[in-house]
């Protein structure tokens, strides 16, 4: 993950800067390419794979939703981090996370890409027997440009333990967005256009009121969440969120969800904004009744500006599990750190 970057104030998001104005400045340097993808991945379980009680899983399809982030070392080589959670096919709770590297090949005037990658990581839950949890992930994908920097990706590969105790073939589809950031020199040429893109990073504490549990009872549950919003234009954003229970006797509960939101302009002396968002994805564990794992989570809230980059954030909403009993009102409170980065093309 990139830990150093050049940035501007969040309020500069979607501001277009003439390339001529950036020449001979600190922005006149080689750009750094990154990509972000949301995807659906199907695991077709094969071999002697089984649940922890010994029941065979072979023939089942485990459906996953997740997120992948790539950072390029040069024009071809990249490293990635990828996380997924199951939402259908088995009891809720299966999740995995991988890190790895890959090779990127572009063709058709950069409209078509082929990527080969290999990852190592950990996975388990949902009753799936992955032994110690160590998994490997070889994969091949093809990407086709559909608009601007947006590509549709189709991938095929394997997800397995090294000794094939758990073995599955993978087939998935995703939407990937490429960004050339922090510089105006792209492929040894000067970019034609540059614009600041807004990012919000949010740390918050969620409180689920009377969260329904397996066993027919309910109890309040609390979790800590990290959410990242990438603004697609000045007011609409794509969001990714991961959360982990920290109070309420649900210690293994976790969420991995994505979605869209809208945020108002600042008002009340440019100190306050409001937002609305709908997130959905995988959740499970900790005895929370989420069925096979798919949840939907709409919410509303308010940001109060403290500094140019820092805000207080509060919200409330409703979370519902498909196929499970979880159906709760929730509230949250936290902090956001906002900035914009330069995107060139």
């Amino acid at each position: 993950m990139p830990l150093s970057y050049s940035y501007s104030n969040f309020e500069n998001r979607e501001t277009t800067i003439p390339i001529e104005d950036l020449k001979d400045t600190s922005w006149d340097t080689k750009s750094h390419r990154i990509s972000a993808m949301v995807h659906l991945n199907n695991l077709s379980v094969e071999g002697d794979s089984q649940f922890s009680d010994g029941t065979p899983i072979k023939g089942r399809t485990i459906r996953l939703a997740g997120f992948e982030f790539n950072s390029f070392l040069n024009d071809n080589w990249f490293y990635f981090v990828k996380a997924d959670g199951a939402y259908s096919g088995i009891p809720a709770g299966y999740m995995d996370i991988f890190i790895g590297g890959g090779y990127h090949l572009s063709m058709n005037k950069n409209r078509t890409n082929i990527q080969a990658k290999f990852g190592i990581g950990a996975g388990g839950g949902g009753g799936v027997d992955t032994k110690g949890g160590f998994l490997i992930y070889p994969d091949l994908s093809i990407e086709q440009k559909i608009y601007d920097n947006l590509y549709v990706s189709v991938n095929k590969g394997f997800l397995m333990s090294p000794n094939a105790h758990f073995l599955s073939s993978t087939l998935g589809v995703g939407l990937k967005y490429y960004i050339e950031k922090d510089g105006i020199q792209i492929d040894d040429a000067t970019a034609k256009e540059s614009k600041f893109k807004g990012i919000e990073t949010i740390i918050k504490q969620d409180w689920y009121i009377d969260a329904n549990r397996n066993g027919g009872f309910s109890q309040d549950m609390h979790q800590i969440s990290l959410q990242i919003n990438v603004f697609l234009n000045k007011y609409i954003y794509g969001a990714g969120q991961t959360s982990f229970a920290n109070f309420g006797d649900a210690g293994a509960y976790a969420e991995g969800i994505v979605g869209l939101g809208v945020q108002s302009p600042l008002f009340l002396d440019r100190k306050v904004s409001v937002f609305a968002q709908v997130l959905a994805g995988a959740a499970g564990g900790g005895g929370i009744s989420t069925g096979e794992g798919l949840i939907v989570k709409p919410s509303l809230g308010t940001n109060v500006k403290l500094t140019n980059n820092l805000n207080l954030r509060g919200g409330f909403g409703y979370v519902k599990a498909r196929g499970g009993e979880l159906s709760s009102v929730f509230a949250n409170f936290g902090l956001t750190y906002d900035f914009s980065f330069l995107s060139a093309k």
Side-chain angles (χ1 to χ4, degrees):
M1 303 291 285
L3 298 180
S4 63
Y5 51 87
S6 300
Y7 67 94
S8 180
N9 287 338
F10 180 69
E11 292 185 19
N12 290 333
R13 68 192 187 280
E14 297 305 309
T15 301
T16 299
I17 308 295
I19 291 295
E20 291 298 321
D21 291 354
L22 296 175
K23 289 184 177 179
D24 300 322
T25 71
S26 60
W27 301 101
D28 192 2
T29 186
K30 184 173 176 58
S31 66
H32 176 206
R33 180 186 300 171
I34 61 173
S35 68
M37 178 171 68
V38 291
H39 62 223
L40 301 175
N41 213 7
N42 293 338
L43 307 184
S44 298
V45 185
E46 302 174 359
D48 297 326
S49 306
Q50 61 186 25
F51 288 108
S52 54
D53 64 1
T55 305
I57 316 178
K58 182 178 180 180
R60 291 206 187 200
T61 299
I62 304 173
R63 305 187 189 280
L64 308 177
F67 177 86
E68 182 178 310
F69 176 89
N70 293 356
S71 182
F72 283 76
L73 301 172
N74 54 38
D75 289 341
N76 300 112
W77 293 98
F78 64 91
Y79 59 91
F80 71 90
V81 59
K82 169 183 176 291
D84 299 282
Y87 66 89
S88 180
I90 57 172
Y94 176 86
M95 293 188 180
D96 58 42
I97 185 167
F98 293 91
I99 59 172
Y103 188 83
H104 174 99
L105 178 65
S106 292
M107 60 188 71
N108 189 24
K109 297 181 179 179
N110 293 327
R111 295 187 183 96
T112 305
N113 304 322
I114 294 176
Q115 287 190 345
K117 55 182 181 254
F118 182 84
I120 59 173
V128 177
D129 184 5
T130 57
K131 290 297 183 183
F134 181 71
L135 300 174
I136 60 176
Y137 175 66
D139 181 80
L140 184 68
S141 62
I142 184 168
E143 304 169 356
Q144 182 61 46
K145 184 176 182 178
I146 56 177
Y147 177 74
D148 200 16
N149 292 328
L150 187 66
Y151 289 70
V152 62
S153 173
V154 177
N155 69 281
K156 186 75 177 77
F158 291 92
L159 191 153
M160 56 189 290
S161 55
N163 64 355
H165 179 82
F166 174 72
L167 171 65
S168 66
S169 63
T170 65
L171 177 63
V173 61
L175 283 175
K176 179 179 284 190
Y177 188 73
Y178 282 89
I179 297 169
E180 298 283 353
K181 62 185 288 287
D182 296 343
I184 61 173
Q185 301 298 330
I186 304 173
D187 298 330
D188 299 322
T190 301
K192 298 178 180 179
E193 180 182 330
S194 62
K195 180 184 291 187
F196 285 109
K197 304 296 292 185
I199 296 284
E200 286 186 327
T201 58
I202 305 159
I203 293 286
K204 55 189 171 67
Q205 182 76 18
D206 288 341
W207 172 27
Y208 284 16
I209 301 171
D210 290 332
N212 300 83
R213 312 294 179 112
N214 297 323
F217 68 100
S218 61
Q219 180 182 341
D220 289 1
M221 188 269 290
H222 303 264
Q223 63 177 5
I224 189 168
S225 299
L226 169 66
Q227 180 173 324
I228 298 177
N229 297 338
V230 179
F231 277 73
L232 308 177
N233 60 32
K234 200 168 182 71
Y235 304 113
I236 296 174
Y237 59 85
Q241 178 182 302
T242 183
S243 309
F244 302 90
N246 54 1
F247 299 101
D249 297 326
Y253 180 80
E255 296 176 359
I257 54 180
V258 297
L260 291 171
V262 59
Q263 185 166 294
S264 75
L266 290 170
F267 58 95
L268 293 181
D269 198 27
R270 299 185 60 80
K271 294 291 186 182
V272 177
S273 65
V274 295
F275 68 88
Q277 63 184 31
V278 178
L279 308 182
I288 303 296
S289 180
T290 56
E292 294 185 351
L294 178 62
I295 64 168
V296 179
K297 194 173 175 181
S299 63
L300 303 169
T302 303
N303 296 309
V304 179
K305 187 174 180 179
L306 299 177
T307 70
N308 283 338
N309 302 104
L310 194 64
N311 302 270
L312 288 175
R313 177 186 175 97
F316 65 94
Y318 176 74
V319 57
K320 179 70 176 74
R322 177 182 176 273
E325 297 300 318
L326 179 64
S327 178
S328 297
V329 173
F330 70 88
N332 55 50
F333 183 78
L335 291 171
T336 76
Y337 185 81
D338 305 339
F339 61 95
S340 351
F341 64 89
L342 187 72
S343 173
K345 61 181 179 179

